Amino acid sequence: MLMLLGGADDWTPARPCEAWAARAPMVARTTFAGAHHGFDRLQGGLRQQHLPDGRTVTFGADGAARAESRRMVMDFLAGLP
């Protein structure tokens, strides 16, 4: 399994996923510092959304994180048996 996480994701925070992955040796993970939820979107700036639970979250594209995550996915898939 490959987990690619946004370090600034306030919608689905990376920390619980990182903690779980640390206990799962078959999980490769990378957290992109500063990247928000939906960092792999093709375009668009950061946006905020108000959720029914009262939280305001930020999401949107991060070109550098998107490019690196695409490369990582292709490398991960190429390495599968």
Side-chain angles (χ1 to χ4, degrees):
M1 177 185 284
L2 174 64
M3 295 173 67
L4 302 172
L5 310 166
D9 190 334
D10 55 1
W11 195 328
T12 309
R15 187 157 293 186
C17 297
E18 292 168 334
W20 177 82
R23 297 187 309 269
M26 296 299 291
V27 176
R29 76 180 190 287
T30 296
T31 301
F32 297 99
H36 292 274
H37 193 84
F39 66 84
D40 57 345
R41 294 173 58 117
L42 288 174
Q43 58 187 347
L46 292 179
R47 299 182 194 174
Q48 289 191 323
Q49 183 169 336
H50 303 288
L51 301 180
D53 66 4
R55 292 185 301 147
T56 299
V57 296
T58 305
F59 65 97
D62 180 314
R66 179 181 184 277
E68 181 64 9
S69 68
R70 288 178 55 90
R71 184 196 62 74
M72 293 177 76
V73 167
M74 297 308 291
D75 288 349
F76 179 80
L77 294 174
L80 293 177

PDB file of all heavy atoms in Angstrom, residues 36-66:
ATOM      1  N   HIS A  36      -2.476  20.570   1.098  1.00  0.00           N
ATOM      2  CA  HIS A  36      -3.805  20.440   1.680  1.00  0.00           C
ATOM      3  C   HIS A  36      -4.557  19.263   1.063  1.00  0.00           C
ATOM      4  O   HIS A  36      -4.079  18.628   0.122  1.00  0.00           O
ATOM      5  CB  HIS A  36      -4.600  21.730   1.443  1.00  0.00           C
ATOM      6  CG  HIS A  36      -4.072  22.889   2.208  1.00  0.00           C
ATOM      7  ND1 HIS A  36      -4.445  23.165   3.502  1.00  0.00           N
ATOM      8  CD2 HIS A  36      -3.173  23.845   1.871  1.00  0.00           C
ATOM      9  CE1 HIS A  36      -3.822  24.246   3.917  1.00  0.00           C
ATOM     10  NE2 HIS A  36      -3.035  24.677   2.947  1.00  0.00           N
ATOM     11  N   HIS A  37      -5.752  19.021   1.565  1.00  0.00           N
ATOM     12  CA  HIS A  37      -6.638  17.990   1.021  1.00  0.00           C
ATOM     13  C   HIS A  37      -6.833  18.272  -0.473  1.00  0.00           C
ATOM     14  O   HIS A  37      -7.023  19.414  -0.866  1.00  0.00           O
ATOM     15  CB  HIS A  37      -7.982  18.054   1.755  1.00  0.00           C
ATOM     16  CG  HIS A  37      -8.853  16.880   1.515  1.00  0.00           C
ATOM     17  ND1 HIS A  37      -8.719  15.715   2.236  1.00  0.00           N
ATOM     18  CD2 HIS A  37      -9.868  16.678   0.644  1.00  0.00           C
ATOM     19  CE1 HIS A  37      -9.629  14.854   1.817  1.00  0.00           C
ATOM     20  NE2 HIS A  37     -10.328  15.413   0.863  1.00  0.00           N
ATOM     21  N   GLY A  38      -6.778  17.246  -1.288  1.00  0.00           N
ATOM     22  CA  GLY A  38      -6.961  17.415  -2.729  1.00  0.00           C
ATOM     23  C   GLY A  38      -5.758  18.024  -3.414  1.00  0.00           C
ATOM     24  O   GLY A  38      -5.885  18.616  -4.489  1.00  0.00           O
ATOM     25  N   PHE A  39      -4.573  17.858  -2.828  1.00  0.00           N
ATOM     26  CA  PHE A  39      -3.364  18.452  -3.409  1.00  0.00           C
ATOM     27  C   PHE A  39      -3.080  17.954  -4.813  1.00  0.00           C
ATOM     28  O   PHE A  39      -2.364  18.597  -5.573  1.00  0.00           O
ATOM     29  CB  PHE A  39      -2.141  18.227  -2.509  1.00  0.00           C
ATOM     30  CG  PHE A  39      -1.715  16.799  -2.376  1.00  0.00           C
ATOM     31  CD1 PHE A  39      -0.900  16.202  -3.317  1.00  0.00           C
ATOM     32  CD2 PHE A  39      -2.131  16.040  -1.290  1.00  0.00           C
ATOM     33  CE1 PHE A  39      -0.493  14.872  -3.188  1.00  0.00           C
ATOM     34  CE2 PHE A  39      -1.736  14.732  -1.143  1.00  0.00           C
ATOM     35  CZ  PHE A  39      -0.920  14.140  -2.096  1.00  0.00           C
ATOM     36  N   ASP A  40      -3.648  16.809  -5.180  1.00  0.00           N
ATOM     37  CA  ASP A  40      -3.378  16.231  -6.496  1.00  0.00           C
ATOM     38  C   ASP A  40      -4.354  16.697  -7.573  1.00  0.00           C
ATOM     39  O   ASP A  40      -4.338  16.185  -8.690  1.00  0.00           O
ATOM     40  CB  ASP A  40      -3.361  14.707  -6.412  1.00  0.00           C
ATOM     41  CG  ASP A  40      -4.651  14.130  -5.855  1.00  0.00           C
ATOM     42  OD1 ASP A  40      -5.456  14.883  -5.263  1.00  0.00           O
ATOM     43  OD2 ASP A  40      -4.854  12.921  -6.003  1.00  0.00           O
ATOM     44  N   ARG A  41      -5.163  17.701  -7.268  1.00  0.00           N
ATOM     45  CA  ARG A  41      -6.062  18.271  -8.276  1.00  0.00           C
ATOM     46  C   ARG A  41      -5.230  18.865  -9.403  1.00  0.00           C
ATOM     47  O   ARG A  41      -4.112  19.314  -9.203  1.00  0.00           O
ATOM     48  CB  ARG A  41      -6.931  19.351  -7.659  1.00  0.00           C
ATOM     49  CG  ARG A  41      -7.906  18.827  -6.635  1.00  0.00           C
ATOM     50  CD  ARG A  41      -8.615  19.963  -5.941  1.00  0.00           C
ATOM     51  NE  ARG A  41      -9.316  20.811  -6.891  1.00  0.00           N
ATOM     52  CZ  ARG A  41     -10.628  20.989  -6.913  1.00  0.00           C
ATOM     53  NH1 ARG A  41     -11.384  20.401  -6.029  1.00  0.00           N
ATOM     54  NH2 ARG A  41     -11.181  21.766  -7.810  1.00  0.00           N
ATOM     55  N   LEU A  42      -5.816  18.901 -10.593  1.00  0.00           N
ATOM     56  CA  LEU A  42      -5.105  19.427 -11.754  1.00  0.00           C
ATOM     57  C   LEU A  42      -4.911  20.935 -11.705  1.00  0.00           C
ATOM     58  O   LEU A  42      -3.917  21.446 -12.183  1.00  0.00           O
ATOM     59  CB  LEU A  42      -5.848  19.059 -13.038  1.00  0.00           C
ATOM     60  CG  LEU A  42      -5.778  17.592 -13.427  1.00  0.00           C
ATOM     61  CD1 LEU A  42      -6.677  17.320 -14.621  1.00  0.00           C
ATOM     62  CD2 LEU A  42      -4.356  17.181 -13.732  1.00  0.00           C
ATOM     63  N   GLN A  43      -5.877  21.643 -11.173  1.00  0.00           N
ATOM     64  CA  GLN A  43      -5.777  23.098 -11.195  1.00  0.00           C
ATOM     65  C   GLN A  43      -6.623  23.703 -10.088  1.00  0.00           C
ATOM     66  O   GLN A  43      -7.329  22.998  -9.387  1.00  0.00           O
ATOM     67  CB  GLN A  43      -6.242  23.637 -12.544  1.00  0.00           C
ATOM     68  CG  GLN A  43      -7.665  23.246 -12.892  1.00  0.00           C
ATOM     69  CD  GLN A  43      -8.018  23.651 -14.301  1.00  0.00           C
ATOM     70  OE1 GLN A  43      -7.311  24.406 -14.938  1.00  0.00           O
ATOM     71  NE2 GLN A  43      -9.122  23.143 -14.792  1.00  0.00           N
ATOM     72  N   GLY A  44      -6.550  24.999  -9.996  1.00  0.00           N
ATOM     73  CA  GLY A  44      -7.328  25.721  -9.002  1.00  0.00           C
ATOM     74  C   GLY A  44      -6.487  26.046  -7.789  1.00  0.00           C
ATOM     75  O   GLY A  44      -5.579  25.304  -7.427  1.00  0.00           O
ATOM     76  N   GLY A  45      -6.790  27.156  -7.212  1.00  0.00           N
ATOM     77  CA  GLY A  45      -6.087  27.561  -6.003  1.00  0.00           C
ATOM     78  C   GLY A  45      -6.734  26.949  -4.780  1.00  0.00           C
ATOM     79  O   GLY A  45      -7.651  26.127  -4.873  1.00  0.00           O
ATOM     80  N   LEU A  46      -6.247  27.375  -3.646  1.00  0.00           N
ATOM     81  CA  LEU A  46      -6.812  26.882  -2.398  1.00  0.00           C
ATOM     82  C   LEU A  46      -8.195  27.474  -2.184  1.00  0.00           C
ATOM     83  O   LEU A  46      -8.448  28.638  -2.489  1.00  0.00           O
ATOM     84  CB  LEU A  46      -5.901  27.258  -1.219  1.00  0.00           C
ATOM     85  CG  LEU A  46      -4.552  26.559  -1.167  1.00  0.00           C
ATOM     86  CD1 LEU A  46      -3.759  27.052   0.030  1.00  0.00           C
ATOM     87  CD2 LEU A  46      -4.718  25.052  -1.115  1.00  0.00           C
ATOM     88  N   ARG A  47      -9.073  26.647  -1.674  1.00  0.00           N
ATOM     89  CA  ARG A  47     -10.441  27.057  -1.358  1.00  0.00           C
ATOM     90  C   ARG A  47     -10.758  26.604   0.047  1.00  0.00           C
ATOM     91  O   ARG A  47     -10.158  25.676   0.565  1.00  0.00           O
ATOM     92  CB  ARG A  47     -11.439  26.393  -2.297  1.00  0.00           C
ATOM     93  CG  ARG A  47     -11.261  26.727  -3.735  1.00  0.00           C
ATOM     94  CD  ARG A  47     -12.352  26.047  -4.518  1.00  0.00           C
ATOM     95  NE  ARG A  47     -12.037  26.057  -5.930  1.00  0.00           N
ATOM     96  CZ  ARG A  47     -12.735  25.452  -6.838  1.00  0.00           C
ATOM     97  NH1 ARG A  47     -13.785  24.736  -6.492  1.00  0.00           N
ATOM     98  NH2 ARG A  47     -12.403  25.521  -8.100  1.00  0.00           N
ATOM     99  N   GLN A  48     -11.751  27.248   0.612  1.00  0.00           N
ATOM    100  CA  GLN A  48     -12.232  26.816   1.918  1.00  0.00           C
ATOM    101  C   GLN A  48     -13.678  26.366   1.788  1.00  0.00           C
ATOM    102  O   GLN A  48     -14.419  26.858   0.941  1.00  0.00           O
ATOM    103  CB  GLN A  48     -12.123  27.936   2.940  1.00  0.00           C
ATOM    104  CG  GLN A  48     -10.688  28.220   3.309  1.00  0.00           C
ATOM    105  CD  GLN A  48     -10.584  29.120   4.503  1.00  0.00           C
ATOM    106  OE1 GLN A  48     -11.370  30.033   4.678  1.00  0.00           O
ATOM    107  NE2 GLN A  48      -9.594  28.865   5.338  1.00  0.00           N
ATOM    108  N   GLN A  49     -14.046  25.433   2.639  1.00  0.00           N
ATOM    109  CA  GLN A  49     -15.408  24.924   2.661  1.00  0.00           C
ATOM    110  C   GLN A  49     -15.847  24.799   4.110  1.00  0.00           C
ATOM    111  O   GLN A  49     -15.077  24.356   4.970  1.00  0.00           O
ATOM    112  CB  GLN A  49     -15.487  23.563   1.967  1.00  0.00           C
ATOM    113  CG  GLN A  49     -16.896  23.027   1.907  1.00  0.00           C
ATOM    114  CD  GLN A  49     -16.998  21.825   0.992  1.00  0.00           C
ATOM    115  OE1 GLN A  49     -16.193  21.636   0.102  1.00  0.00           O
ATOM    116  NE2 GLN A  49     -18.003  21.021   1.205  1.00  0.00           N
ATOM    117  N   HIS A  50     -17.076  25.186   4.364  1.00  0.00           N
ATOM    118  CA  HIS A  50     -17.653  25.057   5.698  1.00  0.00           C
ATOM    119  C   HIS A  50     -18.397  23.731   5.751  1.00  0.00           C
ATOM    120  O   HIS A  50     -19.267  23.467   4.921  1.00  0.00           O
ATOM    121  CB  HIS A  50     -18.594  26.221   5.998  1.00  0.00           C
ATOM    122  CG  HIS A  50     -17.907  27.548   5.881  1.00  0.00           C
ATOM    123  ND1 HIS A  50     -16.991  27.992   6.807  1.00  0.00           N
ATOM    124  CD2 HIS A  50     -17.977  28.504   4.936  1.00  0.00           C
ATOM    125  CE1 HIS A  50     -16.535  29.173   6.441  1.00  0.00           C
ATOM    126  NE2 HIS A  50     -17.116  29.509   5.302  1.00  0.00           N
ATOM    127  N   LEU A  51     -18.045  22.903   6.709  1.00  0.00           N
ATOM    128  CA  LEU A  51     -18.640  21.575   6.847  1.00  0.00           C
ATOM    129  C   LEU A  51     -19.809  21.610   7.827  1.00  0.00           C
ATOM    130  O   LEU A  51     -19.881  22.484   8.698  1.00  0.00           O
ATOM    131  CB  LEU A  51     -17.587  20.585   7.335  1.00  0.00           C
ATOM    132  CG  LEU A  51     -16.359  20.409   6.445  1.00  0.00           C
ATOM    133  CD1 LEU A  51     -15.410  19.390   7.053  1.00  0.00           C
ATOM    134  CD2 LEU A  51     -16.740  20.021   5.034  1.00  0.00           C
ATOM    135  N   PRO A  52     -20.737  20.650   7.699  1.00  0.00           N
ATOM    136  CA  PRO A  52     -21.892  20.601   8.605  1.00  0.00           C
ATOM    137  C   PRO A  52     -21.518  20.497  10.084  1.00  0.00           C
ATOM    138  O   PRO A  52     -22.287  20.916  10.941  1.00  0.00           O
ATOM    139  CB  PRO A  52     -22.645  19.345   8.155  1.00  0.00           C
ATOM    140  CG  PRO A  52     -22.240  19.143   6.735  1.00  0.00           C
ATOM    141  CD  PRO A  52     -20.825  19.638   6.651  1.00  0.00           C
ATOM    142  N   ASP A  53     -20.317  19.963  10.370  1.00  0.00           N
ATOM    143  CA  ASP A  53     -19.910  19.835  11.773  1.00  0.00           C
ATOM    144  C   ASP A  53     -19.329  21.133  12.340  1.00  0.00           C
ATOM    145  O   ASP A  53     -18.848  21.168  13.464  1.00  0.00           O
ATOM    146  CB  ASP A  53     -18.927  18.679  11.961  1.00  0.00           C
ATOM    147  CG  ASP A  53     -17.590  18.907  11.267  1.00  0.00           C
ATOM    148  OD1 ASP A  53     -17.355  19.989  10.688  1.00  0.00           O
ATOM    149  OD2 ASP A  53     -16.755  17.985  11.305  1.00  0.00           O
ATOM    150  N   GLY A  54     -19.350  22.202  11.539  1.00  0.00           N
ATOM    151  CA  GLY A  54     -18.880  23.493  11.998  1.00  0.00           C
ATOM    152  C   GLY A  54     -17.440  23.821  11.641  1.00  0.00           C
ATOM    153  O   GLY A  54     -16.992  24.953  11.816  1.00  0.00           O
ATOM    154  N   ARG A  55     -16.711  22.827  11.135  1.00  0.00           N
ATOM    155  CA  ARG A  55     -15.314  23.079  10.765  1.00  0.00           C
ATOM    156  C   ARG A  55     -15.247  23.808   9.427  1.00  0.00           C
ATOM    157  O   ARG A  55     -16.101  23.644   8.570  1.00  0.00           O
ATOM    158  CB  ARG A  55     -14.539  21.765  10.628  1.00  0.00           C
ATOM    159  CG  ARG A  55     -14.335  21.038  11.914  1.00  0.00           C
ATOM    160  CD  ARG A  55     -13.457  19.800  11.725  1.00  0.00           C
ATOM    161  NE  ARG A  55     -14.043  18.872  10.772  1.00  0.00           N
ATOM    162  CZ  ARG A  55     -13.340  18.090   9.936  1.00  0.00           C
ATOM    163  NH1 ARG A  55     -12.035  18.121   9.947  1.00  0.00           N
ATOM    164  NH2 ARG A  55     -13.949  17.264   9.118  1.00  0.00           N
ATOM    165  N   THR A  56     -14.203  24.591   9.268  1.00  0.00           N
ATOM    166  CA  THR A  56     -13.863  25.182   7.979  1.00  0.00           C
ATOM    167  C   THR A  56     -12.565  24.531   7.547  1.00  0.00           C
ATOM    168  O   THR A  56     -11.580  24.544   8.295  1.00  0.00           O
ATOM    169  CB  THR A  56     -13.689  26.705   8.089  1.00  0.00           C
ATOM    170  OG1 THR A  56     -14.923  27.276   8.534  1.00  0.00           O
ATOM    171  CG2 THR A  56     -13.314  27.305   6.746  1.00  0.00           C
ATOM    172  N   VAL A  57     -12.581  23.931   6.369  1.00  0.00           N
ATOM    173  CA  VAL A  57     -11.413  23.198   5.881  1.00  0.00           C
ATOM    174  C   VAL A  57     -10.896  23.838   4.596  1.00  0.00           C
ATOM    175  O   VAL A  57     -11.613  24.546   3.904  1.00  0.00           O
ATOM    176  CB  VAL A  57     -11.753  21.704   5.643  1.00  0.00           C
ATOM    177  CG1 VAL A  57     -12.118  21.024   6.953  1.00  0.00           C
ATOM    178  CG2 VAL A  57     -12.869  21.547   4.631  1.00  0.00           C
ATOM    179  N   THR A  58      -9.649  23.560   4.300  1.00  0.00           N
ATOM    180  CA  THR A  58      -8.987  24.099   3.114  1.00  0.00           C
ATOM    181  C   THR A  58      -8.620  22.940   2.196  1.00  0.00           C
ATOM    182  O   THR A  58      -8.181  21.891   2.652  1.00  0.00           O
ATOM    183  CB  THR A  58      -7.717  24.867   3.531  1.00  0.00           C
ATOM    184  OG1 THR A  58      -8.084  25.851   4.493  1.00  0.00           O
ATOM    185  CG2 THR A  58      -7.065  25.534   2.343  1.00  0.00           C
ATOM    186  N   PHE A  59      -8.820  23.152   0.904  1.00  0.00           N
ATOM    187  CA  PHE A  59      -8.438  22.127  -0.065  1.00  0.00           C
ATOM    188  C   PHE A  59      -7.993  22.809  -1.349  1.00  0.00           C
ATOM    189  O   PHE A  59      -8.331  23.953  -1.609  1.00  0.00           O
ATOM    190  CB  PHE A  59      -9.593  21.147  -0.330  1.00  0.00           C
ATOM    191  CG  PHE A  59     -10.783  21.768  -0.998  1.00  0.00           C
ATOM    192  CD1 PHE A  59     -10.957  21.680  -2.372  1.00  0.00           C
ATOM    193  CD2 PHE A  59     -11.743  22.442  -0.265  1.00  0.00           C
ATOM    194  CE1 PHE A  59     -12.050  22.255  -2.986  1.00  0.00           C
ATOM    195  CE2 PHE A  59     -12.838  23.017  -0.859  1.00  0.00           C
ATOM    196  CZ  PHE A  59     -12.998  22.929  -2.233  1.00  0.00           C
ATOM    197  N   GLY A  60      -7.223  22.086  -2.150  1.00  0.00           N
ATOM    198  CA  GLY A  60      -6.821  22.610  -3.442  1.00  0.00           C
ATOM    199  C   GLY A  60      -5.483  22.081  -3.902  1.00  0.00           C
ATOM    200  O   GLY A  60      -4.741  21.439  -3.174  1.00  0.00           O
ATOM    201  N   ALA A  61      -5.236  22.385  -5.163  1.00  0.00           N
ATOM    202  CA  ALA A  61      -4.068  21.857  -5.866  1.00  0.00           C
ATOM    203  C   ALA A  61      -2.751  22.393  -5.295  1.00  0.00           C
ATOM    204  O   ALA A  61      -2.677  23.511  -4.812  1.00  0.00           O
ATOM    205  CB  ALA A  61      -4.159  22.220  -7.341  1.00  0.00           C
ATOM    206  N   ASP A  62      -1.745  21.534  -5.377  1.00  0.00           N
ATOM    207  CA  ASP A  62      -0.361  21.887  -5.050  1.00  0.00           C
ATOM    208  C   ASP A  62       0.480  21.253  -6.153  1.00  0.00           C
ATOM    209  O   ASP A  62       0.684  20.032  -6.169  1.00  0.00           O
ATOM    210  CB  ASP A  62       0.020  21.339  -3.671  1.00  0.00           C
ATOM    211  CG  ASP A  62       1.437  21.675  -3.264  1.00  0.00           C
ATOM    212  OD1 ASP A  62       2.366  21.518  -4.091  1.00  0.00           O
ATOM    213  OD2 ASP A  62       1.624  22.081  -2.122  1.00  0.00           O
ATOM    214  N   GLY A  63       0.901  22.076  -7.101  1.00  0.00           N
ATOM    215  CA  GLY A  63       1.583  21.558  -8.293  1.00  0.00           C
ATOM    216  C   GLY A  63       2.793  20.689  -8.002  1.00  0.00           C
ATOM    217  O   GLY A  63       2.973  19.630  -8.605  1.00  0.00           O
ATOM    218  N   ALA A  64       3.627  21.116  -7.069  1.00  0.00           N
ATOM    219  CA  ALA A  64       4.845  20.350  -6.757  1.00  0.00           C
ATOM    220  C   ALA A  64       4.491  19.011  -6.115  1.00  0.00           C
ATOM    221  O   ALA A  64       5.048  17.965  -6.486  1.00  0.00           O
ATOM    222  CB  ALA A  64       5.761  21.160  -5.846  1.00  0.00           C
ATOM    223  N   ALA A  65       3.559  19.021  -5.153  1.00  0.00           N
ATOM    224  CA  ALA A  65       3.158  17.769  -4.498  1.00  0.00           C
ATOM    225  C   ALA A  65       2.467  16.850  -5.489  1.00  0.00           C
ATOM    226  O   ALA A  65       2.667  15.629  -5.463  1.00  0.00           O
ATOM    227  CB  ALA A  65       2.242  18.063  -3.304  1.00  0.00           C
ATOM    228  N   ARG A  66       1.654  17.414  -6.373  1.00  0.00           N
ATOM    229  CA  ARG A  66       0.972  16.597  -7.388  1.00  0.00           C
ATOM    230  C   ARG A  66       1.988  15.917  -8.302  1.00  0.00           C
ATOM    231  O   ARG A  66       1.914  14.710  -8.544  1.00  0.00           O
ATOM    232  CB  ARG A  66       0.026  17.444  -8.224  1.00  0.00           C
ATOM    233  CG  ARG A  66      -0.676  16.637  -9.283  1.00  0.00           C
ATOM    234  CD  ARG A  66      -1.610  17.533 -10.114  1.00  0.00           C
ATOM    235  NE  ARG A  66      -2.335  16.720 -11.059  1.00  0.00           N
ATOM    236  CZ  ARG A  66      -1.857  16.342 -12.242  1.00  0.00           C
ATOM    237  NH1 ARG A  66      -0.649  16.706 -12.626  1.00  0.00           N
ATOM    238  NH2 ARG A  66      -2.577  15.591 -13.038  1.00  0.00           N
TER     239      ARG A  66
END
